[in-house]
Amino acid sequence: MDTVTNAPPLVHLEKVSKTFSNGTAAIAGLDLELRCGSFTSLLGPSGCGKSTALRMIAGLTAPSTGSVTWDRGRPELGFVFQEPTLMPWRTVWGNVFLPLRLAGLTRAQAEPRIADALARVGLTGFERSYPRQLSGGMKMRVSIARALVTHPSLLLMDEPFAALDEITRSRLNDDLLSVWAAQRLTIGFVTHSVFESVFLSDRILVMAARPGRVVADIAIDAPYPRTEAFRTSEVYNHHCRIVSKALKDAMGGQHDH
Amino acid sequence: MTTDRAKLVQAALPILVGLLFLAGWEAFVRIEQIPVYILPGPIRIAERLWEDWDTLSDSLLVTLGVTFAALAAAVIGGGGLAILFAQSKWIEASLFPFAVILQVTPIVAIAPLILIYVPNTELALLICAWIVAFFPILSNTTLGLNSTDPNFLDLMQLYRAKRWQTLWYLRIPNAMPYFLGGLKIAGGLSLIGAVVAEFAAGTATAGTGLAYRILESSYRLDIPRMYAGLVLLSLTGILIFASFATLSWLILHRWHDSATRRER
Ligand SMILES: Nc1ncnc2c1ncn2[C@@H]1O[C@H](COP(=O)(O)OP(=O)(O)O)[C@@H](O)[C@H]1O
Ligand SMILES: [Mg+2]
């Protein structure tokens, strides 16, 4: 996977810090970059500033100091929140339509793109359902379809599967990888699960807390497509051990989760 | 099946209680031979309602006209002001206290003044009804517009939504259940406001609303007619509440927790 490690950066954060108005120093001295086409995970204990870092990339939060630089201009972005964040008064179709509607597209113009986005997350046939009629996993699929419908070249995801059960989660992991492979997306993925990050990513940035910063940069050089067999392979276990160790070091040697 | 039957029983019970109450009332009046000018029985009241239906129904229409005109004005005024409040904290902070003052001052106390200053009685009645009806709509809608999930606001910012788009696609639908809750309260209050103002106006100008008919009957000691007017007013209030409850269900049942049935 040298192609990815050598790919040019899409966005990089330099000496970024973020202090909230209540005095919380969430992040300090953060350097990171997302390379074009890579699947990069931000892994770290809860409260270490993963969400803040992702939100700064998305432009939802401004850094206190430092810079967020887009080497070739800010591309179209997709963002998936930890909660599905679906409007309960809109159908599945209406929720996926929202970003296009905001951009001024008509229903007719949007229709093929919505159908395509829903097909990619396996939700064809659920267009007219309301969010409350869907399971947690399906809601998250709608949320992903909404993020994909604008054809973003960068998809940011903030612990999207944390609230899902193990089976649903691994199925969504598989589907996310197929979407990524089909689209040549760049993905920035926040998680606190070692296993999830190793299975999905080609690169993991381990973060430490107080203040939040990157303390380890680990390449997962295992080929894609990654299947069920990969989950039980020696390569996978090997990387899980390395990443676990890095995470423990990041947490200052505390061995409690 | 059993739940259907339980529901039927649940609906039948209050009707049964009501009928028993009416029967007891009628029996009491007859056995004790209470004179009709003190307490008429329900049958006498129904007869009076029937005899005077032409006058009473005309008056009902007048009262309904004032009620709904005031309610419409309250929806526009209260909803519009709430949207204005949502635009800026400063506007809200500087105007909301006055809305509260308007609300907490008893309408019976203000009505005579309004009747003096506004020469057109019908318009004066409308203003009184509007004053009581608009506050629940304003305060509920303001709450609804402000209680937007911050994640949705992030979403709108991410897609560079314009201000009006955030209002139209997010804040207003989000406020809908709150607004409809306010509307249900305002419907009843608007009727009360119209009636109270009519009572206040009663002596001064000749109104022809239902409240005026009740007042008129009391001068003539026509107690059955007073009750007949009262019955019409309560029925109207119930009908207004029921129609807004239905409207609310129609709009919300597909998505809002308050209107969705939980399947077990
Ligand atoms: N809006 C905010 N205001 C104040 N403090 C915040 C805010 N958002 C996050 N924080 C604080 O910043 C730190 C990092 O938060 P966050 O980025 O959410 O961490 P993570 O996503 O890794 O769990 C935490 O200590 C959190 O309490
Ligand atoms: Mg977080």
Side-chain angles (χ1 to χ4, degrees), chain B residues 233-248:
Chain B
L233 272 184
S234 326
L235 286 180
T236 308
I238 294 171
L239 214 69
I240 290 177
F241 184 84
S243 18
F244 285 134
T246 310
L247 177 73
S248 172

Side-chain angles (χ1 to χ4, degrees), chain B residues 57-86:
Chain B
S57 60
D58 280 352
S59 300
L60 175 63
L61 286 184
V62 171
T63 303
L64 276 182
V66 173
T67 302
F68 279 102
L71 196 58
V75 167
I76 296 168
L81 208 54
I83 288 176
L84 189 70
F85 284 2

Side-chain angles (χ1 to χ4, degrees), chain A residues 139-223:
Chain A
K139 282 184 203 159
M140 197 38 88
R141 287 174 188 274
V142 179
S143 190
I144 295 172
R146 178 181 58 197
L148 292 176
V149 80
T150 55
H151 297 171
S153 38
L154 174 60
L155 182 60
L156 301 172
M157 307 177 89
D158 190 357
E159 302 198 39
F161 309 141
L164 302 178
D165 63 85
E166 200 58 43
I167 297 167
T168 310
R169 186 177 187 156
S170 75
R171 200 169 290 152
L172 275 160
N173 282 170
D174 293 340
D175 292 352
L176 179 60
L177 282 185
S178 0
V179 166
W180 176 59
Q183 303 262 122
R184 292 325 300 171
L185 274 168
T186 305
I187 296 185
F189 189 93
V190 163
T191 178
H192 57 238
S193 160
V194 169
F195 305 109
E196 187 171 58
S197 64
V198 172
F199 181 74
L200 291 173
S201 340
D202 55 35
R203 180 168 168 234
I204 298 175
L205 303 175
V206 181
M207 288 181 68
R210 319 238 162 258
R213 65 213 182 273
V214 173
V215 290
D217 183 345
I218 301 166
I220 309 297
D221 16 58

